[in-house]
Amino acid sequence: EAQVTQNPRYLITVTGKKLTVTCSQNMNHEYMSWYRQDPGLGLRQIYYSMNVEVTDKGDVPEGYKVSRKEKRNFPLILESPSPNQTSLYFCASSFLRGVQGPYEQYFGPGTRLTVT
Amino acid sequence: KNEVEQSPQNLTAQEGEFITINCSYSVGISALHWLQQHPGGGIVSLFMLSSGKKKHGRLIATINIQEKHSSLHITASHPRDSAVYICAVLLTGNQFYFGTGTSLTVIP
């Protein structure tokens, strides 16, 4: 079954404790991306990747890191989480339309993160 | 900054009604996506448009590049269409910007 998986689905942590949210896709997609969703602000892009070892900042990259060492995986790293990073996080992936960019995206189920 | 504006924010309709959700954007784009977010939180991609019109079942999406405007239409609406509909624009640098969504409730 074609899917994007995220782990964990729910996480409560404390300020400053490093954490990683994993994202994996089984569709051989080139494009992968992380988003956060907050009430009243909607979805905002954190980082995206066009392929292995190629990552770029989105609209709200501060406080986050990513890596793309394998095509299927795109982990999101919060090295020193703060309460303002409490949010619902989505990973997504898609094929690329050559220079025209990503096709329709497949989204993971979301990770609800609370930082106290 | 609000590169993407959706209207209305909330919409309640009777089953069977024709529904239109609008999306306006202020920047040059390479494509526009319509997404559906279910009450449980899951997000599904409905359409990707670069020009013209696309149809899938009871859903129709149109885009006018010159006017920087897109619409999502739902014909013969059904309670199962109740969801949040989100417009997203893809910039030429492969970055996405999103509208804040339209919450649709269809009453039986």
Side-chain angles (χ1 to χ4, degrees):
Chain A
E1 179 191 352
Q3 61 182 354
V4 178
T5 57
Q6 293 179 228
N7 282 293
R9 295 288 311 281
Y10 302 90
L11 179 59
I12 300 174
T13 189
V14 295
T15 298
K17 186 177 180 183
K18 181 178 179 179
L19 66 92
T20 299
V21 184
T22 65
C23 172
S24 184
Q25 50 92 6
N26 63 359
M27 296 167 279
N28 202 34
H29 285 164
E30 297 92 359
Y31 187 90
M32 296 187 75
S33 184
W34 276 103
Y35 305 97
R36 61 177 289 174
Q37 186 175 39
D38 302 288
L41 296 176
L43 285 158
R44 291 178 293 169
Q45 192 169 32
I46 303 171
Y47 270 97
Y48 62 96
S49 170
M50 302 289 282
N51 215 322
V52 175
E53 303 291 2
V54 180
T55 62
D56 279 296
K57 295 178 181 179
D59 196 27
V60 287
E62 296 78 19
Y64 305 94
K65 283 177 60 175
V66 293
S67 68
R68 186 95 181 269
K69 293 184 169 57
E70 303 167 287
K71 198 171 186 178
R72 65 183 294 127
N73 296 322
F74 191 45
L76 180 70
I77 303 157
L78 286 72
E79 297 220 322
S80 184
S82 62
N84 64 13
Q85 293 178 298
T86 292
S87 187
L88 178 59
Y89 291 86
F90 289 97
C91 179
S93 71
S94 76
F95 286 116
L96 284 175
R97 305 173 294 148
V99 297
Q100 295 175 291
Y103 279 109
E104 296 174 33
Q105 296 184 84
Y106 288 74
F107 283 81
T111 295
R112 189 166 291 281
L113 172 66
T114 302
V115 183
T116 61
Chain B
K1 49 184 176 180
N2 293 302
E3 284 84 2
V4 186
E5 299 281 353
Q6 282 186 242
S7 62
Q9 280 191 305
N10 297 284
L11 182 55
T12 300
Q14 291 291 131
E15 183 173 356
E17 284 185 8
F18 181 85
I19 289 164
T20 296
I21 299 169
N22 295 299
C23 175
S24 296
Y25 53 93
S26 57
V27 295
I29 67 170
S30 63
L32 183 143
H33 295 234
W34 282 102
L35 310 173
Q36 179 192 55
Q37 186 166 25
H38 301 294
I43 299 174
V44 173
S45 185
L46 298 175
F47 293 104
M48 187 195 72
L49 290 164
S50 298
S51 63
K53 176 179 173 178
K54 285 191 176 180
K55 185 175 188 291
H56 181 70
R58 294 180 297 105
L59 300 178
I60 303 166
T62 63
I63 188 168
N64 185 318
I65 297 292
Q66 286 73 30
E67 294 186 5
K68 293 186 167 60
H69 182 268
S70 176
S71 293
L72 177 68
H73 306 285
I74 305 174
T75 62
S77 59
H78 190 276
R80 66 174 175 267
D81 297 325
S82 298
V84 175
Y85 293 83
I86 301 168
C87 170
V89 298
L90 175 65
L91 306 188
T92 51
N94 295 310
Q95 186 173 342
F96 280 98
Y97 283 98
F98 297 82
T100 53
T102 294
S103 180
L104 171 65
T105 303
V106 181
I107 300 169

